[in-house]
Amino acid sequence: MTDHQQSAPFIEMRDVYKSFGSTAVLKGVTLSVRDGGVVCIIGPSGSGKSTILRCINGLMTIDRGTIRVGSFAVETLKSDKQLVPLRHQVAMVFQQYNLFPHRTVLQNLTMAPVQVLGENPAAVRERALALLAKVRLTGKQDSYPGELSGGQQQRVAIARALAMQPKVILFDEVTAALDPEMVSEVLNVIRDLAREGMTCVLVTHEMRFAQEVADEVFFTDRGVIVEHGPPGTIFQNPTDPRLKAFLDKVL
Ligand code: ADP
Ligand code: MG
């Protein structure tokens, strides 16, 4: 890494405000993620975590502040057409897997790279099969989503995100809808990605996992970042009473 890469974060949100009607949802959020960094966002329901992710990939416009992702000034991108190059770099995985039910696993992975990016189908197929191996689903390429467990479908969704070769992946509570025995198989895949240097922003209720994989944890409450820091500090030595109260409930 050059000095420049170390000093310039890959994602930088500065003083971001967002309201829906009279409801202020983000009230001056500042957050950065270095290239290859793993950031976890924790906090109570309704505190603005999903909104932060949606602002980063331009799914939502902001009222004030700036968001830079790589070379993109996100708040200046207005049309869907302008947002396309940003969205190629920023993948998002949701709680609901949103796979195409009438397409096979392999087709779910290859459709966008071939149809949207115009890549060579044979090369994309090869990459997709390698990604299925990576998410530990070798042999499932011809299955339909409905034939897979929730944990398997979520791993297909992660492989589909990776098939676009993004620079960063945003994970929004991707294990929240899963049966407990399937949570770890999905977290294992995310842990592999984090270790390989994929830039990740994770909204999660899995506190032990956050503690293990995050470089930095941000605690949100009612639209503000109340406290942030390395996991050791946030979990073992929290200072803000709201963070302490939250951890008392969830740990
Ligand atoms: P979290 O992910 O932390 O649970 P969200 O970012 O989803 O929180 O939501 C924060 C607040 O913004 C909530 O009060 C929610 O009701 C509100 N909100 C989110 N999206 C919208 C929307 N599209 N329209 C109106 N209110 C919204
Ligand atoms: Mg949410």
Side-chain angles (χ1 to χ4, degrees):
M1 251 198 221
T2 65
D3 287 347
H4 174 71
Q5 281 172 320
Q6 275 175 355
S7 58
F10 186 69
I11 298 173
E12 201 166 26
M13 284 182 95
R14 280 206 191 155
D15 210 23
V16 169
Y17 285 76
K18 173 71 182 176
S19 294
F20 295 104
S22 59
T23 312
V25 173
L26 300 183
K27 297 179 274 193
V29 168
T30 294
L31 169 158
S32 62
V33 188
R34 69 174 175 82
D35 196 4
V38 178
V39 157
C40 288
I41 304 174
I42 62 170
S45 184
S47 61
K49 304 180 300 295
S50 295
T51 304
I52 290 172
L53 297 189
R54 294 200 156 92
C55 291
I56 291 173
N57 80 345
L59 274 173
M60 241 171 219
T61 59
I62 61 174
D63 302 331
R64 218 177 100 190
T66 57
I67 304 179
R68 189 182 53 74
V69 177
S71 59
F72 297 101
V74 179
E75 74 283 358
T76 65
L77 308 173
K78 301 296 180 197
S79 65
D80 279 345
K81 195 178 167 197
Q82 287 178 314
L83 284 160
V84 166
L86 170 75
R87 299 224 176 108
H88 289 167
Q89 292 200 357
V90 184
M92 191 151 169
V93 183
F94 300 90
Q95 183 175 320
Q96 306 304 340
Y97 339 112
N98 302 327
L99 298 173
F100 297 105
H102 303 299
R103 304 283 182 158
T104 65
V105 164
L106 187 66
Q107 287 166 341
N108 266 279
L109 265 59
T110 56
M111 276 166 69
V114 172
Q115 291 170 19
V116 180
L117 300 181
E119 289 188 67
N120 174 282
V124 171
R125 183 190 150 86
E126 202 165 314
R127 188 163 84 228
L129 291 173
L131 286 171
L132 282 180
K134 190 185 185 73
V135 301
R136 297 159 207 191
L137 288 173
T138 299
K140 295 291 185 194
Q141 62 267 21
D142 297 323
S143 299
Y144 286 86
E147 298 169 334
L148 304 177
S149 73
Q152 290 174 326
Q153 290 186 60
Q154 190 58 290
R155 284 182 282 145
V156 173
I158 293 171
R160 182 177 59 173
L162 289 168
M164 294 293 279
Q165 301 187 294
K167 295 240 170 79
V168 51
I169 307 189
L170 314 176
F171 295 92
D172 196 356
E173 297 194 30
V174 297
T175 59
L178 297 177
D179 292 335
E181 71 272 21
M182 292 168 190
V183 169
S184 63
E185 66 193 37
V186 173
L187 295 182
N188 288 343
V189 165
I190 299 174
R191 181 187 295 109
D192 289 348
L193 293 175
R195 285 189 181 147
E196 288 165 17
M198 172 62 79
T199 308
C200 296
V201 185
L202 286 148
V203 170
T204 185
H205 290 297
E206 298 290 334
M207 295 300 148
R208 266 190 306 169
F209 185 69
Q211 197 157 352
E212 180 201 328
V213 298
D215 305 312
E216 196 165 24
V217 179
F218 288 77
F219 170 67
T220 57
D221 189 33
R222 296 180 207 177
V224 298
I225 307 282
V226 171
E227 192 165 338
H228 70 98
T233 308
I234 292 294
F235 292 105
Q236 269 91 47
N237 207 2
T239 53
D240 191 279
R242 284 168 288 180
L243 173 56
K244 286 182 184 170
F246 175 76
L247 293 175
D248 279 345
K249 272 192 227 158
V250 298
L251 283 182

